[in-house]
Amino acid sequence: MKSTTFTNQQFRRNLCAAAVASALLGIAMPAVAQDTDEEEQATRLERIEVTARRTTENLQEVPVAVTSVSGAEILERGISNILEIAQFSPNTTLQTSRATNSTITAFIRGVGQEDPLWGYEPGVGIYIDDIYVARPQGAVLDILNVERIEVLRGPQGTLYGKNTIGGAVKYVTRRMSGDREFSVSGTVGSYNQRDLKVTGEMPLIENTLYFGFGYANLQRDGYGSFLTSDLPNQDRENYNKDVQAMRATLEWYPSDTTFVRLAWDKTDDESNSKGGYRLLPSLLTDAPVPDSFYDSYTSLPTENKVETEGLSLLIEQEINEEWQFRSITANRENYSPVNIDFDNTSLRIFDVPAIYDDKWFTQEFQLNYSSDNLSFVSGLYYYDADSCGTFDAILEVLGQAAFGTPGLTREVSGCSNSKSQAIYGQGSYQLNDQWSFTAGLRYTRDEKEALVRNGLIFDTVYPESGWIPGYVRGPEVGTPVVLDDSQTWNKVTPRLGAEYRYSADTMFYASFGQGFKSGTFNPRAETAEPAANPEDVYSYEVGVKSDITDRLRVNATVFMLDHENRQYVSVIPDPNDATVLNQRLANVGESDATGLELEFTWIATNDLTIYGNVGLIDASFNNVLSFDAQGNQIDITDQFVITNTPDTTANIGFSYDLRVANGDLVINGNYSYRSSYGLTELNNLLTQDAYGVLNLGVNWYSGSGKWRVGVHGKNLTNEKFLVGNYAFLTPDANNPGEFLPGLGGDTTLIGYYGDPRTVSLTVGYRF
């Protein structure tokens, strides 16, 4: 790999960018001596380091499909949270989950998890500094103290374990340098956006012990409003933002070969619950379809909360030049009382207030080795998690009309407790100057216990006292225990690969990998049904990583995957009782996918860089089974679609550097395209048409490197695009295009939308 050099303009701009990025991200920048001869040389591609294989490596030498977006790039492009990273990674979807701001829906290569209910496991793993974020609640991470974000595509079952069958997203923070630093930035923008970020670090003991911190207060008015609410003193903002995020870190170097980091983080999201847009008029109210996609109606309180907190301890010990020991200990938890108005009317037609309460502990020990021709990563892993929750499906209008009761509530509550132990190892052997081989194996033992309470209450109840004055707390009613069971699974997930270095700058690779998503019990069980077994994904890849010239980098991957034993909830009709949902969870689905991914970076001139990516995928179900009301097995494959997976994703972007009298300007932008995709796996009624999002930004860096000013416009063409939906209605077979009432007695078809056009101004200063 050739060394990185810069022209005078590029050199100075990158110094300024790095200095201010370091300040805003709470890190220090080492002193750099300018060399006139070096400055005059042409700009070349830079070396990018990633930890995709749990050790630091050059991106171009890692035989894995991985995208890395650095902290400096995040700053320049005005990226505010982890969701925007999906634009820069092909075949990747990262979105907020319907009615909240902080719950993530993540799909990579057509694999993910649509339903974020407790007990259901995700298909894409989210990590903060190699620490697993087990639940989707609170996983929409705002950018603070970040070095880079990596997206690993394809199953990562050997090094990362269960629940990474689609891939993994890694949020990597930067280690401190030890200098005394303090920085502050403020942002104002559309919809009364007003953000404040403060970061810093200081030595407590010179060259030995350092303290770093970060604080963010992120505020924004709603994109729309709740048009009606019968409840007093309710905030009517819809799609607003009210988030506080904090980090504190101690880093200790007791010797030249030992590193210890103690890190704490906390996020409080008190943004309102999101109200959806009614795509059809309600049959039970006279309220019209709102004029704005961001307006809604509700009969629930609008307040919402997601609290997440984590504490971790990292110990790294260099035993000698070849051996390293690592210990990663973490404890995380989140608590989230949420209000989801499924029907989005001012009546209690189908309201679902809920509480999520999750805690998990992880411990990992690694023993790693590296020599001239052999390197491997090995480890032991332990995971202990409690995932609990309660929701009340309130069908008050139906209860009054059908039964003459004060209301009707199906209350479901319970816990899914998991323990997992794993041992793993993966190594690469360099046979000669051209050929190397990779092999890995992971053994996992999963234990899961589940308790589910489920029952009908002929009244309107809420899961917490005082949620709405005058209504009782649900658990006091005492719905019956319908499932109390446990199950153990053992899985072995291998990885095999071969790499061929055609030249110093070009590597071809081929690999086979397997991953699995944990088995689980149905958290909505109505009877003592058995657990669903783990899902399996078998993936085959052929790829190339090439720096074709000093200015052009092209990485490409062709892949094929088989997704077997997919877990799905089948709703089995009960001809004798319309209030019984009979939701059964089982391994009833299979799907496959083939695709192509291409990423490139081209330094067109010393001042202009162009980058982009293309993802193509053909993903579909090939076998889904269910049962009819008489217990007969039926094939319902034609009723299923792969969701959140456009056939084509593409992105083209640029960065242009311009030297001005008092500093440097960086003009950047990108256009991100997504072809059409479905929103619901079973009986999909909403398909988002193809669309593109245009973003532009201008950054100014002062000559001293202390000041930065950035103006960023997002979604400048103001595209309206769906990111989630609820559908509780039935197509009318006798009248195409018309619908019959569904659960709750109304035509409930609800859409949730991505962010509209926004413009923001950020000013940052480094002390």
Side-chain angles (χ1 to χ4, degrees):
M1 186 71 185
K2 297 178 175 61
S3 61
T4 306
T5 55
F6 305 82
T7 61
N8 182 57
Q9 176 176 316
Q10 180 79 3
F11 184 77
R12 289 181 56 85
R13 198 277 299 172
N14 277 275
L15 283 178
C16 295
V20 179
S22 298
L24 294 178
L25 298 173
I27 59 178
M29 188 186 107
V32 179
Q34 296 188 23
D35 184 281
T36 303
D37 293 334
E38 185 180 36
E39 293 172 15
E40 295 300 324
Q41 295 181 36
T43 305
R44 299 178 180 180
L45 292 166
E46 60 182 322
R47 176 187 174 97
I48 298 174
E49 292 188 339
V50 296
T51 55
R53 296 197 294 180
R54 306 299 298 273
T55 186
T56 302
E57 298 176 283
N58 179 0
L59 173 69
Q60 295 303 100
E61 298 175 356
V62 178
V64 176
V66 55
T67 297
S68 178
V69 183
S70 70
E73 291 170 330
I74 287 169
L75 197 67
E76 279 191 0
R77 298 171 189 175
I79 296 173
S80 60
N81 62 49
I82 201 171
L83 302 179
E84 296 181 62
I85 298 298
Q87 298 179 28
F88 309 101
S89 177
N91 289 326
T92 301
T93 296
L94 302 173
Q95 296 175 161
T96 52
S97 296
R98 298 182 285 213
T100 74
N101 280 324
S102 297
T103 302
I104 196 169
T105 296
F107 276 74
I108 297 178
R109 296 181 176 177
V111 181
Q113 178 60 47
E114 183 179 289
D115 195 337
L117 193 65
W118 71 86
Y120 288 152
E121 304 290 352
V124 174
I126 308 296
Y127 291 81
I128 303 175
D129 290 330
D130 281 335
I131 296 165
Y132 180 49
V133 179
R135 310 308 310 157
Q137 286 78 22
V140 177
L141 305 171
D142 288 287
I143 302 301
L144 186 65
N145 288 7
V146 65
E147 178 181 276
R148 66 181 180 276
I149 295 176
E150 301 175 10
V151 181
L152 286 60
R153 297 184 296 277
Q156 308 296 319
T158 302
L159 291 178
Y160 292 86
K162 65 177 185 176
N163 302 339
T164 58
I165 53 175
V169 180
K170 298 183 62 177
Y171 186 104
V172 183
T173 62
R174 187 186 296 272
R175 294 186 182 182
M176 290 178 278
S177 69
D179 294 333
R180 188 179 300 273
E181 299 285 348
F182 182 79
S183 62
V184 60
S185 71
T187 301
V188 294
S190 305
Y191 301 95
N192 197 24
Q193 179 186 358
R194 51 212 186 276
D195 297 344
L196 174 67
K197 293 184 180 181
V198 180
T199 59
E201 65 171 80
M202 65 187 69
L204 301 180
I205 301 175
E206 199 69 29
N207 299 321
T208 303
L209 183 64
Y210 311 100
F211 173 71
F213 62 90
Y215 171 78
N217 190 310
L218 312 174
Q219 303 289 323
R220 189 195 66 235
D221 292 348
Y223 299 143
S225 301
F226 288 99
L227 302 177
T228 61
S229 176
D230 295 334
L231 302 173
N233 304 318
Q234 293 297 303
D235 185 348
R236 295 291 184 90
E237 299 284 343
N238 194 21
Y239 286 83
N240 71 329
K241 189 169 187 177
D242 181 1
V243 174
Q244 293 189 78
M246 295 150 275
R247 292 184 64 88
T249 306
L250 281 173
E251 294 184 353
W252 180 36
Y253 294 84
S255 71
D256 293 339
T257 59
T258 306
F259 172 73
V260 180
R261 177 172 61 194
L262 179 66
W264 169 84
D265 67 270
K266 184 175 183 180
T267 300
D268 289 329
D269 184 353
E270 295 188 359
S271 312
N272 289 346
S273 179
K274 279 186 184 176
Y277 175 77
R278 283 198 66 94
L279 292 154
L280 295 173
S282 169
L283 300 179
L284 303 179
T285 74
D286 57 2
V289 172
D291 294 331
S292 169
F293 289 110
Y294 303 102
D295 286 347
S296 188
Y297 307 100
T298 188
S299 56
L300 279 168
T302 59
E303 66 256 21
N304 202 53
K305 181 186 296 184
V306 179
E307 297 177 345
T308 65
E309 188 171 4
L311 183 67
S312 65
L313 176 66
L314 168 67
I315 301 173
E316 292 185 349
Q317 177 65 53
E318 301 290 340
I319 300 172
N320 53 41
E321 292 183 356
E322 296 177 334
W323 291 92
Q324 181 201 51
F325 170 79
R326 301 178 80 219
S327 171
I328 307 170
T329 309
N331 188 81
R332 298 195 64 83
E333 59 185 51
N334 65 54
Y335 173 75
S336 179
V338 299
N339 288 301
I340 307 174
D341 193 328
F342 278 61
D343 59 281
N344 290 116
T345 71
S346 55
L347 297 178
R348 297 184 181 96
I349 296 172
F350 191 4
D351 295 355
V352 183
I355 297 175
Y356 298 86
D357 192 357
D358 302 292
K359 300 178 178 65
W360 64 95
F361 169 83
T362 59
Q363 174 63 59
E364 185 168 9
F365 297 112
Q366 282 186 2
L367 186 62
N368 304 331
Y369 175 85
S370 180
S371 64
D372 291 339
N373 61 351
L374 176 64
S375 63
F376 69 79
V377 176
S378 63
L380 299 171
Y381 182 77
Y382 176 76
Y383 167 84
D384 189 352
D386 295 334
S387 182
C388 300
T390 300
F391 74 83
D392 289 320
I394 298 170
L395 305 138
E396 185 176 279
V397 174
L398 177 62
Q400 293 170 348
F403 303 103
T405 59
L408 178 65
T409 302
R410 176 168 291 279
E411 183 172 274
V412 180
S413 63
C415 288
S416 178
N417 303 324
S418 302
K419 290 185 179 180
S420 183
Q421 303 91 34
I423 180 170
Y424 65 89
Q426 179 170 300
S428 293
Y429 180 73
Q430 191 75 38
L431 183 64
N432 53 42
D433 291 342
Q434 292 183 307
W435 286 97
S436 61
F437 297 93
T438 298
L441 199 67
R442 188 183 189 106
Y443 169 79
T444 304
R445 177 182 172 85
D446 260 2
E447 304 171 53
K448 184 165 286 190
E449 298 177 353
L451 185 144
V452 180
R453 304 176 69 96
N454 192 330
L456 281 176
I457 303 167
F458 291 93
D459 202 343
T460 298
V461 301
Y462 288 80
E464 189 172 277
S465 297
W467 200 305
I468 291 183
Y471 289 92
V472 300
R473 179 177 184 269
E476 294 176 357
V477 179
T479 51
V481 173
V482 296
L483 187 151
D484 186 357
D485 202 353
S486 63
Q487 181 72 43
T488 300
W489 298 275
N490 299 282
K491 297 292 292 187
V492 175
T493 48
R495 184 176 184 87
L496 295 172
E499 301 84 43
Y500 175 73
R501 183 156 293 283
Y502 176 77
S503 68
D505 297 315
T506 300
M507 178 186 71
F508 294 92
Y509 66 92
S511 66
F512 164 77
Q514 182 184 355
F516 80 97
K517 187 169 80 171
S518 179
T520 191
F521 290 92
N522 184 3
R524 297 188 183 94
E526 296 182 36
T527 61
E529 63 182 82
N533 289 320
E535 297 185 7
D536 296 295
V537 168
Y538 302 88
S539 175
Y540 309 84
E541 291 188 23
V542 176
V544 59
K545 295 197 172 184
S546 178
D547 288 349
I548 296 175
T549 70
D550 289 345
R551 290 171 171 254
L552 177 61
R553 172 174 295 158
V554 178
N555 296 337
T557 304
V558 176
F559 66 88
M560 178 178 68
L561 63 84
D562 293 322
H563 191 172
E564 300 181 356
N565 299 317
R566 295 188 69 147
Q567 304 162 356
Y568 280 106
V569 173
S570 296
V571 180
I572 303 171
D574 187 329
N576 301 315
D577 190 347
T579 66
V580 177
L581 299 181
N582 279 335
Q583 298 186 74
R584 300 294 178 88
L585 177 65
N587 302 95
V588 295
E590 294 180 4
S591 66
D592 54 37
T594 56
L596 166 70
E597 295 164 351
L598 183 144
E599 300 175 277
F600 76 90
T601 301
W602 176 39
I603 302 176
T605 71
N606 289 344
D607 302 318
L608 176 63
T609 299
I610 298 173
Y611 60 88
N613 67 74
V614 175
L616 305 176
I617 188 170
D618 180 10
S620 61
F621 284 91
N622 53 44
N623 188 28
V624 185
L625 303 176
S626 186
F627 297 88
D628 61 19
Q630 287 72 42
N632 301 312
Q633 192 174 76
I634 55 176
D635 189 324
I636 58 172
T637 304
D638 59 352
Q639 299 179 33
F640 274 76
V641 298
I642 304 290
T643 64
N644 298 291
T645 304
D647 291 343
T648 302
T649 58
N651 182 64
I652 184 74
F654 74 95
S655 178
Y656 182 74
D657 305 322
L658 179 65
R659 182 72 191 278
V660 294
N662 56 351
D664 293 276
L665 282 179
V666 180
I667 304 169
N668 59 50
N670 74 290
Y671 180 78
S672 178
Y673 169 83
R674 301 173 73 82
S675 63
S676 62
Y677 54 90
L679 274 296
T680 305
E681 286 162 328
L682 176 60
N683 295 324
N684 181 66
L685 296 177
L686 284 179
T687 297
Q688 171 60 49
D689 293 334
Y691 68 94
V693 172
L694 175 65
N695 307 310
L696 291 173
V698 179
N699 299 274
W700 172 75
Y701 301 92
S702 68
S704 66
K706 292 184 177 296
W707 286 95
R708 170 186 172 266
V709 178
V711 178
H712 295 95
K714 303 289 184 66
N715 190 12
L716 289 175
T717 57
N718 204 28
E719 295 288 327
K720 297 297 187 294
F721 54 95
L722 287 159
V723 297
N725 81 311
Y726 289 116
F728 295 95
L729 71 173
T730 303
D732 188 344
N734 298 320
N735 297 288
E738 301 294 325
F739 297 93
L740 301 174
L743 190 62
D746 202 359
T747 49
T748 297
L749 186 61
I750 307 299
Y752 294 88
Y753 289 82
D755 294 351
R757 175 174 52 234
T758 60
V759 178
S760 64
L761 168 68
T762 299
V763 178
Y765 183 73
R766 168 178 177 253
F767 293 87

